[in-house]
Amino acid sequence: MPRADLVLLHSPSVYDFRKKAAIYGPVSDVVPSTPIFEMYPIGFMTIANYLKSSGYSVRIINVALRMLKSRRFDVEKLIRSLDPLAFGLDLHWLCHAQGSLELAKIIKKYHPQTPVILGGLSASYYQQELILYPQVDYVIRGDSAEEPLRQLLEIIRRKGSLKSVPNLTWQDNGGGTRVNELSYVPLDLDNLSFDYGGIMKSSARYRDLAGHLPFRGWLNYPIVAVLPWRGCRNGCSTCGGAAHFYKNICGRSLPAYRNPGLLAQDIASISHYLKGPIFILGDIRQSGQEYVERLLAEIKKKEIKNDIALELFSPASKEFLGMIAASIPKFSIEISPESHDEEVRRAFGRDYDNQSLESSIEDALRLGCRRVDLFFMIGLPRQTPESVQQTIKYCGVLLREYNKNGNTRVHPYISPLAPFLDPGSLAFENPEQHGYKLFHKTLEEHRQALLAPSWKYMLNYETEWMSRDELVASTYEAALGLNRLKVKYGLLKQKEGRIIEIRIRDAMSLMRQVDEILLVKNAQVREDRMNRLRARLSSFSSSSTMCKKKELRWPVKSIRFNFFRIIRAALARK
Ligand code: SF4
């Protein structure tokens, strides 16, 4: 097997999930991952492509996915067999705090001299604490690790001075923490490559297809994302990717955009290999009218046949939707109104009314939009249990209005803000002001919380309007209500709805049993009872509770790949 200079590893959220099952809850029901969050960040691909173009070999190993696919997969054996210049681990989403640190520990056990580098938004936020863990050698801060990582690898290889590496946090020989200046903050994303062909070549080179796949089930549903920008102009109260976070933690005062011509080319290259849907992350309107016009004109020229889904941060005008329809023959949209209640929505940071939301849905459907996905959330400022139930009623109103005569293009979803309110978000930084109470603040507290037997105890917050118990109860009640509506309006078959209802009730009952066990005073009795329950918990460790993953799927062709082109790319020389 060829040796890689850098091995990028993605851990499960909780390393031991195969042995110490827990009810991770419906935390990932509305994303492609399972509850152990096996999906690696898109940054793995841009880092790998960037470093390869600078002469480094990079291997990605999705350890989480390989563990998920086989109970017998031996992580330690794999780590022992590797011999790179350095290991890289993501701590982008905080839910990986336990998994990434545990994996780093295993790396150090077998390779005490090989540097372990962590990066991502959560790593950046907790850099000072993270660098103190003995299994962590370096933290790369900011939203653009590609170039700092290249410089760091150069230093590791040639043994130069670490002081010159931008965005680096490290420890000097005396054990003192050194925080280099956050000076690498690129103004655009034009020197990055979002070419998925690089991943395909790499999976052939290292003969490891499973280790390169982004999430479980991807081969059946090969959705890929493209990124118009890094950063955000908005300030939603619970979001750790909001404007102030990028400013305070990543040193970014404005989003960095990708040239529309390059973004359209990214989409065209993907469609060359894959026939699955392509998701344009973020809202392209963020970059202004001129950007939107140029991007859509470029996409139109490329005559993309794939379904393309666009994320919108707010309702869209008829003109904008018309431009999309004229450029993308098969388009879908995704909006997150968060709540039916305009006051709750405003408190969260989204200031628009239901009238404009509904007008957008109507316009989009009239213009041929293949699907409108609507995401609602539980755990918002000013949101009460009653308000959550009203949100479900509102979903019923929307479904009655738009999903009639066999039409099933509007799909509502609801999920809790879990397991964590994002560190660095406005609500996390000023909890009282936003009506939040925090249970965990430090990285170590979050790491330990992830080992709790149910997601109720993992939650790092409750609100002035809902206790942890109410957040949990409202989540399952809402799930039951929405499930019934989906059956009623044809989004789910009767049988599918029945299975989901049984699963939700099973999860509710297990949550109650965990609560009872935790009240047992005798530690040994408590542990024995918990161990007896774990077999039942394990089915909730690796699959959804509140909805089927299939529900999230935008349309895909039955032939999802262009195999000839994939093989040609995989065999191509570097
Ligand atoms: S949730 Fe709000 S702040 Fe966060 S990325 Fe989306 S629009 Fe930006």
Side-chain angles (χ1 to χ4, degrees), residues 266-292:
D266 295 338
I267 295 171
S269 326
I270 292 166
S271 83
H272 187 70
Y273 301 110
L274 305 175
K275 300 298 159 208
I278 299 168
F279 184 27
I280 305 183
L281 287 168
D283 188 326
I284 57 173
R285 292 171 299 172
Q286 247 208 145
S287 28
Q289 181 67 8
E290 197 190 325
Y291 185 97
V292 168

PDB file of all heavy atoms in Angstrom, residues 266-292:
ATOM      1  N   ASP A 266     -17.527  23.381 -10.938  1.00  0.00           N
ATOM      2  CA  ASP A 266     -17.583  22.315  -9.921  1.00  0.00           C
ATOM      3  C   ASP A 266     -18.813  21.434 -10.164  1.00  0.00           C
ATOM      4  O   ASP A 266     -18.739  20.202 -10.114  1.00  0.00           O
ATOM      5  CB  ASP A 266     -17.703  22.900  -8.505  1.00  0.00           C
ATOM      6  CG  ASP A 266     -16.477  23.702  -8.087  1.00  0.00           C
ATOM      7  OD1 ASP A 266     -15.403  23.480  -8.664  1.00  0.00           O
ATOM      8  OD2 ASP A 266     -16.619  24.558  -7.182  1.00  0.00           O
ATOM      9  N   ILE A 267     -19.925  22.108 -10.409  1.00  0.00           N
ATOM     10  CA  ILE A 267     -21.190  21.365 -10.602  1.00  0.00           C
ATOM     11  C   ILE A 267     -21.097  20.504 -11.867  1.00  0.00           C
ATOM     12  O   ILE A 267     -21.483  19.335 -11.882  1.00  0.00           O
ATOM     13  CB  ILE A 267     -22.375  22.361 -10.664  1.00  0.00           C
ATOM     14  CG1 ILE A 267     -22.522  23.058  -9.310  1.00  0.00           C
ATOM     15  CG2 ILE A 267     -23.668  21.660 -11.064  1.00  0.00           C
ATOM     16  CD1 ILE A 267     -23.514  24.205  -9.288  1.00  0.00           C
ATOM     17  N   ALA A 268     -20.526  21.099 -12.921  1.00  0.00           N
ATOM     18  CA  ALA A 268     -20.406  20.353 -14.179  1.00  0.00           C
ATOM     19  C   ALA A 268     -19.485  19.147 -14.008  1.00  0.00           C
ATOM     20  O   ALA A 268     -19.784  18.056 -14.520  1.00  0.00           O
ATOM     21  CB  ALA A 268     -19.877  21.276 -15.275  1.00  0.00           C
ATOM     22  N   SER A 269     -18.370  19.306 -13.252  1.00  0.00           N
ATOM     23  CA  SER A 269     -17.471  18.152 -13.079  1.00  0.00           C
ATOM     24  C   SER A 269     -18.162  17.046 -12.311  1.00  0.00           C
ATOM     25  O   SER A 269     -17.978  15.866 -12.606  1.00  0.00           O
ATOM     26  CB  SER A 269     -16.201  18.503 -12.296  1.00  0.00           C
ATOM     27  OG  SER A 269     -15.780  19.757 -12.540  1.00  0.00           O
ATOM     28  N   ILE A 270     -18.934  17.432 -11.310  1.00  0.00           N
ATOM     29  CA  ILE A 270     -19.649  16.395 -10.547  1.00  0.00           C
ATOM     30  C   ILE A 270     -20.603  15.650 -11.470  1.00  0.00           C
ATOM     31  O   ILE A 270     -20.673  14.421 -11.465  1.00  0.00           O
ATOM     32  CB  ILE A 270     -20.421  17.035  -9.365  1.00  0.00           C
ATOM     33  CG1 ILE A 270     -19.440  17.580  -8.328  1.00  0.00           C
ATOM     34  CG2 ILE A 270     -21.366  16.019  -8.727  1.00  0.00           C
ATOM     35  CD1 ILE A 270     -20.075  18.511  -7.315  1.00  0.00           C
ATOM     36  N   SER A 271     -21.326  16.396 -12.289  1.00  0.00           N
ATOM     37  CA  SER A 271     -22.331  15.739 -13.128  1.00  0.00           C
ATOM     38  C   SER A 271     -21.668  14.834 -14.173  1.00  0.00           C
ATOM     39  O   SER A 271     -22.296  13.942 -14.726  1.00  0.00           O
ATOM     40  CB  SER A 271     -23.256  16.761 -13.773  1.00  0.00           C
ATOM     41  OG  SER A 271     -22.692  17.287 -14.912  1.00  0.00           O
ATOM     42  N   HIS A 272     -20.397  15.067 -14.420  1.00  0.00           N
ATOM     43  CA  HIS A 272     -19.636  14.229 -15.335  1.00  0.00           C
ATOM     44  C   HIS A 272     -19.548  12.781 -14.797  1.00  0.00           C
ATOM     45  O   HIS A 272     -19.608  11.827 -15.546  1.00  0.00           O
ATOM     46  CB  HIS A 272     -18.244  14.862 -15.419  1.00  0.00           C
ATOM     47  CG  HIS A 272     -17.335  14.276 -16.425  1.00  0.00           C
ATOM     48  ND1 HIS A 272     -17.522  14.415 -17.778  1.00  0.00           N
ATOM     49  CD2 HIS A 272     -16.201  13.532 -16.279  1.00  0.00           C
ATOM     50  CE1 HIS A 272     -16.551  13.797 -18.415  1.00  0.00           C
ATOM     51  NE2 HIS A 272     -15.734  13.255 -17.535  1.00  0.00           N
ATOM     52  N   TYR A 273     -19.410  12.668 -13.455  1.00  0.00           N
ATOM     53  CA  TYR A 273     -19.257  11.346 -12.843  1.00  0.00           C
ATOM     54  C   TYR A 273     -20.554  10.812 -12.238  1.00  0.00           C
ATOM     55  O   TYR A 273     -20.806   9.622 -12.248  1.00  0.00           O
ATOM     56  CB  TYR A 273     -18.246  11.380 -11.685  1.00  0.00           C
ATOM     57  CG  TYR A 273     -16.872  11.835 -12.058  1.00  0.00           C
ATOM     58  CD1 TYR A 273     -16.386  13.066 -11.632  1.00  0.00           C
ATOM     59  CD2 TYR A 273     -16.051  11.023 -12.837  1.00  0.00           C
ATOM     60  CE1 TYR A 273     -15.112  13.484 -11.966  1.00  0.00           C
ATOM     61  CE2 TYR A 273     -14.776  11.434 -13.180  1.00  0.00           C
ATOM     62  CZ  TYR A 273     -14.305  12.667 -12.744  1.00  0.00           C
ATOM     63  OH  TYR A 273     -13.054  13.079 -13.072  1.00  0.00           O
ATOM     64  N   LEU A 274     -21.295  11.709 -11.611  1.00  0.00           N
ATOM     65  CA  LEU A 274     -22.423  11.269 -10.791  1.00  0.00           C
ATOM     66  C   LEU A 274     -23.741  11.789 -11.335  1.00  0.00           C
ATOM     67  O   LEU A 274     -23.825  12.929 -11.793  1.00  0.00           O
ATOM     68  CB  LEU A 274     -22.268  11.784  -9.346  1.00  0.00           C
ATOM     69  CG  LEU A 274     -20.973  11.444  -8.615  1.00  0.00           C
ATOM     70  CD1 LEU A 274     -20.947  12.136  -7.269  1.00  0.00           C
ATOM     71  CD2 LEU A 274     -20.868   9.939  -8.430  1.00  0.00           C
ATOM     72  N   LYS A 275     -24.737  10.940 -11.212  1.00  0.00           N
ATOM     73  CA  LYS A 275     -26.065  11.347 -11.679  1.00  0.00           C
ATOM     74  C   LYS A 275     -26.969  11.722 -10.507  1.00  0.00           C
ATOM     75  O   LYS A 275     -28.135  12.019 -10.684  1.00  0.00           O
ATOM     76  CB  LYS A 275     -26.703  10.200 -12.486  1.00  0.00           C
ATOM     77  CG  LYS A 275     -25.888   9.793 -13.714  1.00  0.00           C
ATOM     78  CD  LYS A 275     -25.768  10.950 -14.691  1.00  0.00           C
ATOM     79  CE  LYS A 275     -24.599  10.788 -15.637  1.00  0.00           C
ATOM     80  NZ  LYS A 275     -24.056  12.060 -16.104  1.00  0.00           N
ATOM     81  N   GLY A 276     -26.444  11.682  -9.299  1.00  0.00           N
ATOM     82  CA  GLY A 276     -27.235  12.023  -8.114  1.00  0.00           C
ATOM     83  C   GLY A 276     -27.430  13.524  -7.979  1.00  0.00           C
ATOM     84  O   GLY A 276     -26.869  14.309  -8.750  1.00  0.00           O
ATOM     85  N   PRO A 277     -28.216  13.931  -6.987  1.00  0.00           N
ATOM     86  CA  PRO A 277     -28.483  15.356  -6.790  1.00  0.00           C
ATOM     87  C   PRO A 277     -27.259  16.131  -6.309  1.00  0.00           C
ATOM     88  O   PRO A 277     -26.386  15.571  -5.632  1.00  0.00           O
ATOM     89  CB  PRO A 277     -29.575  15.386  -5.717  1.00  0.00           C
ATOM     90  CG  PRO A 277     -29.747  14.015  -5.239  1.00  0.00           C
ATOM     91  CD  PRO A 277     -28.922  13.079  -6.030  1.00  0.00           C
ATOM     92  N   ILE A 278     -27.225  17.388  -6.655  1.00  0.00           N
ATOM     93  CA  ILE A 278     -26.136  18.270  -6.231  1.00  0.00           C
ATOM     94  C   ILE A 278     -26.769  19.368  -5.382  1.00  0.00           C
ATOM     95  O   ILE A 278     -27.759  19.985  -5.777  1.00  0.00           O
ATOM     96  CB  ILE A 278     -25.423  18.875  -7.456  1.00  0.00           C
ATOM     97  CG1 ILE A 278     -24.826  17.754  -8.316  1.00  0.00           C
ATOM     98  CG2 ILE A 278     -24.328  19.853  -7.012  1.00  0.00           C
ATOM     99  CD1 ILE A 278     -24.344  18.185  -9.683  1.00  0.00           C
ATOM    100  N   PHE A 279     -26.189  19.574  -4.211  1.00  0.00           N
ATOM    101  CA  PHE A 279     -26.775  20.526  -3.270  1.00  0.00           C
ATOM    102  C   PHE A 279     -25.890  21.767  -3.203  1.00  0.00           C
ATOM    103  O   PHE A 279     -24.707  21.663  -2.865  1.00  0.00           O
ATOM    104  CB  PHE A 279     -26.862  19.829  -1.904  1.00  0.00           C
ATOM    105  CG  PHE A 279     -27.539  20.626  -0.833  1.00  0.00           C
ATOM    106  CD1 PHE A 279     -28.497  21.585  -1.135  1.00  0.00           C
ATOM    107  CD2 PHE A 279     -27.237  20.403   0.505  1.00  0.00           C
ATOM    108  CE1 PHE A 279     -29.123  22.311  -0.136  1.00  0.00           C
ATOM    109  CE2 PHE A 279     -27.854  21.117   1.509  1.00  0.00           C
ATOM    110  CZ  PHE A 279     -28.808  22.075   1.187  1.00  0.00           C
ATOM    111  N   ILE A 280     -26.454  22.919  -3.531  1.00  0.00           N
ATOM    112  CA  ILE A 280     -25.681  24.157  -3.395  1.00  0.00           C
ATOM    113  C   ILE A 280     -25.919  24.675  -1.981  1.00  0.00           C
ATOM    114  O   ILE A 280     -26.994  25.160  -1.644  1.00  0.00           O
ATOM    115  CB  ILE A 280     -26.090  25.203  -4.448  1.00  0.00           C
ATOM    116  CG1 ILE A 280     -25.978  24.622  -5.867  1.00  0.00           C
ATOM    117  CG2 ILE A 280     -25.218  26.452  -4.306  1.00  0.00           C
ATOM    118  CD1 ILE A 280     -26.285  25.593  -6.992  1.00  0.00           C
ATOM    119  N   LEU A 281     -24.906  24.501  -1.144  1.00  0.00           N
ATOM    120  CA  LEU A 281     -25.021  24.894   0.270  1.00  0.00           C
ATOM    121  C   LEU A 281     -25.109  26.414   0.404  1.00  0.00           C
ATOM    122  O   LEU A 281     -24.565  27.137  -0.437  1.00  0.00           O
ATOM    123  CB  LEU A 281     -23.797  24.419   1.040  1.00  0.00           C
ATOM    124  CG  LEU A 281     -23.677  22.929   1.329  1.00  0.00           C
ATOM    125  CD1 LEU A 281     -22.294  22.623   1.832  1.00  0.00           C
ATOM    126  CD2 LEU A 281     -24.710  22.494   2.346  1.00  0.00           C
ATOM    127  N   GLY A 282     -25.702  26.863   1.485  1.00  0.00           N
ATOM    128  CA  GLY A 282     -25.770  28.312   1.706  1.00  0.00           C
ATOM    129  C   GLY A 282     -26.797  28.903   0.761  1.00  0.00           C
ATOM    130  O   GLY A 282     -27.488  28.194   0.033  1.00  0.00           O
ATOM    131  N   ASP A 283     -26.921  30.176   0.770  1.00  0.00           N
ATOM    132  CA  ASP A 283     -27.909  30.854  -0.071  1.00  0.00           C
ATOM    133  C   ASP A 283     -27.141  31.728  -1.058  1.00  0.00           C
ATOM    134  O   ASP A 283     -26.444  32.658  -0.653  1.00  0.00           O
ATOM    135  CB  ASP A 283     -28.808  31.707   0.841  1.00  0.00           C
ATOM    136  CG  ASP A 283     -29.985  32.289   0.084  1.00  0.00           C
ATOM    137  OD1 ASP A 283     -29.816  32.606  -1.107  1.00  0.00           O
ATOM    138  OD2 ASP A 283     -31.061  32.442   0.689  1.00  0.00           O
ATOM    139  N   ILE A 284     -27.265  31.407  -2.346  1.00  0.00           N
ATOM    140  CA  ILE A 284     -26.453  32.129  -3.337  1.00  0.00           C
ATOM    141  C   ILE A 284     -26.791  33.617  -3.374  1.00  0.00           C
ATOM    142  O   ILE A 284     -25.997  34.421  -3.851  1.00  0.00           O
ATOM    143  CB  ILE A 284     -26.565  31.520  -4.759  1.00  0.00           C
ATOM    144  CG1 ILE A 284     -28.022  31.481  -5.226  1.00  0.00           C
ATOM    145  CG2 ILE A 284     -25.950  30.133  -4.801  1.00  0.00           C
ATOM    146  CD1 ILE A 284     -28.171  31.055  -6.692  1.00  0.00           C
ATOM    147  N   ARG A 285     -27.956  34.003  -2.829  1.00  0.00           N
ATOM    148  CA  ARG A 285     -28.314  35.432  -2.829  1.00  0.00           C
ATOM    149  C   ARG A 285     -27.426  36.240  -1.884  1.00  0.00           C
ATOM    150  O   ARG A 285     -27.380  37.459  -1.978  1.00  0.00           O
ATOM    151  CB  ARG A 285     -29.786  35.612  -2.427  1.00  0.00           C
ATOM    152  CG  ARG A 285     -30.764  35.073  -3.454  1.00  0.00           C
ATOM    153  CD  ARG A 285     -32.177  35.083  -2.925  1.00  0.00           C
ATOM    154  NE  ARG A 285     -32.309  34.249  -1.735  1.00  0.00           N
ATOM    155  CZ  ARG A 285     -33.390  34.191  -0.977  1.00  0.00           C
ATOM    156  NH1 ARG A 285     -34.436  34.940  -1.257  1.00  0.00           N
ATOM    157  NH2 ARG A 285     -33.442  33.398   0.078  1.00  0.00           N
ATOM    158  N   GLN A 286     -26.742  35.516  -0.984  1.00  0.00           N
ATOM    159  CA  GLN A 286     -25.876  36.218  -0.029  1.00  0.00           C
ATOM    160  C   GLN A 286     -24.804  37.046  -0.722  1.00  0.00           C
ATOM    161  O   GLN A 286     -24.309  38.013  -0.187  1.00  0.00           O
ATOM    162  CB  GLN A 286     -25.183  35.191   0.863  1.00  0.00           C
ATOM    163  CG  GLN A 286     -25.615  35.246   2.281  1.00  0.00           C
ATOM    164  CD  GLN A 286     -24.555  34.770   3.258  1.00  0.00           C
ATOM    165  OE1 GLN A 286     -24.483  35.319   4.335  1.00  0.00           O
ATOM    166  NE2 GLN A 286     -23.783  33.790   2.926  1.00  0.00           N
ATOM    167  N   SER A 287     -24.433  36.586  -1.901  1.00  0.00           N
ATOM    168  CA  SER A 287     -23.327  37.262  -2.590  1.00  0.00           C
ATOM    169  C   SER A 287     -23.794  38.317  -3.582  1.00  0.00           C
ATOM    170  O   SER A 287     -22.978  38.839  -4.341  1.00  0.00           O
ATOM    171  CB  SER A 287     -22.461  36.220  -3.279  1.00  0.00           C
ATOM    172  OG  SER A 287     -23.217  35.106  -3.601  1.00  0.00           O
ATOM    173  N   GLY A 288     -25.094  38.618  -3.572  1.00  0.00           N
ATOM    174  CA  GLY A 288     -25.584  39.735  -4.387  1.00  0.00           C
ATOM    175  C   GLY A 288     -26.152  39.304  -5.726  1.00  0.00           C
ATOM    176  O   GLY A 288     -25.932  38.187  -6.208  1.00  0.00           O
ATOM    177  N   GLN A 289     -26.888  40.242  -6.321  1.00  0.00           N
ATOM    178  CA  GLN A 289     -27.625  39.972  -7.554  1.00  0.00           C
ATOM    179  C   GLN A 289     -26.701  39.598  -8.717  1.00  0.00           C
ATOM    180  O   GLN A 289     -26.983  38.689  -9.479  1.00  0.00           O
ATOM    181  CB  GLN A 289     -28.459  41.231  -7.898  1.00  0.00           C
ATOM    182  CG  GLN A 289     -29.307  41.113  -9.134  1.00  0.00           C
ATOM    183  CD  GLN A 289     -30.443  40.095  -8.967  1.00  0.00           C
ATOM    184  OE1 GLN A 289     -30.692  39.583  -7.866  1.00  0.00           O
ATOM    185  NE2 GLN A 289     -31.114  39.764 -10.063  1.00  0.00           N
ATOM    186  N   GLU A 290     -25.592  40.305  -8.819  1.00  0.00           N
ATOM    187  CA  GLU A 290     -24.694  40.060  -9.955  1.00  0.00           C
ATOM    188  C   GLU A 290     -24.147  38.623  -9.905  1.00  0.00           C
ATOM    189  O   GLU A 290     -24.079  37.932 -10.922  1.00  0.00           O
ATOM    190  CB  GLU A 290     -23.548  41.068  -9.883  1.00  0.00           C
ATOM    191  CG  GLU A 290     -22.806  41.179 -11.197  1.00  0.00           C
ATOM    192  CD  GLU A 290     -21.529  41.999 -11.026  1.00  0.00           C
ATOM    193  OE1 GLU A 290     -21.542  42.954 -10.229  1.00  0.00           O
ATOM    194  OE2 GLU A 290     -20.529  41.643 -11.681  1.00  0.00           O
ATOM    195  N   TYR A 291     -23.795  38.193  -8.681  1.00  0.00           N
ATOM    196  CA  TYR A 291     -23.264  36.837  -8.493  1.00  0.00           C
ATOM    197  C   TYR A 291     -24.323  35.809  -8.927  1.00  0.00           C
ATOM    198  O   TYR A 291     -24.036  34.863  -9.658  1.00  0.00           O
ATOM    199  CB  TYR A 291     -22.894  36.631  -7.033  1.00  0.00           C
ATOM    200  CG  TYR A 291     -22.211  35.313  -6.729  1.00  0.00           C
ATOM    201  CD1 TYR A 291     -20.829  35.235  -6.645  1.00  0.00           C
ATOM    202  CD2 TYR A 291     -22.953  34.143  -6.536  1.00  0.00           C
ATOM    203  CE1 TYR A 291     -20.196  34.030  -6.367  1.00  0.00           C
ATOM    204  CE2 TYR A 291     -22.331  32.943  -6.266  1.00  0.00           C
ATOM    205  CZ  TYR A 291     -20.952  32.881  -6.170  1.00  0.00           C
ATOM    206  OH  TYR A 291     -20.340  31.677  -5.892  1.00  0.00           O
ATOM    207  N   VAL A 292     -25.564  36.051  -8.467  1.00  0.00           N
ATOM    208  CA  VAL A 292     -26.653  35.118  -8.769  1.00  0.00           C
ATOM    209  C   VAL A 292     -26.822  35.016 -10.283  1.00  0.00           C
ATOM    210  O   VAL A 292     -26.908  33.917 -10.848  1.00  0.00           O
ATOM    211  CB  VAL A 292     -27.965  35.617  -8.111  1.00  0.00           C
ATOM    212  CG1 VAL A 292     -29.167  34.859  -8.641  1.00  0.00           C
ATOM    213  CG2 VAL A 292     -27.881  35.478  -6.596  1.00  0.00           C
TER     214      VAL A 292
END
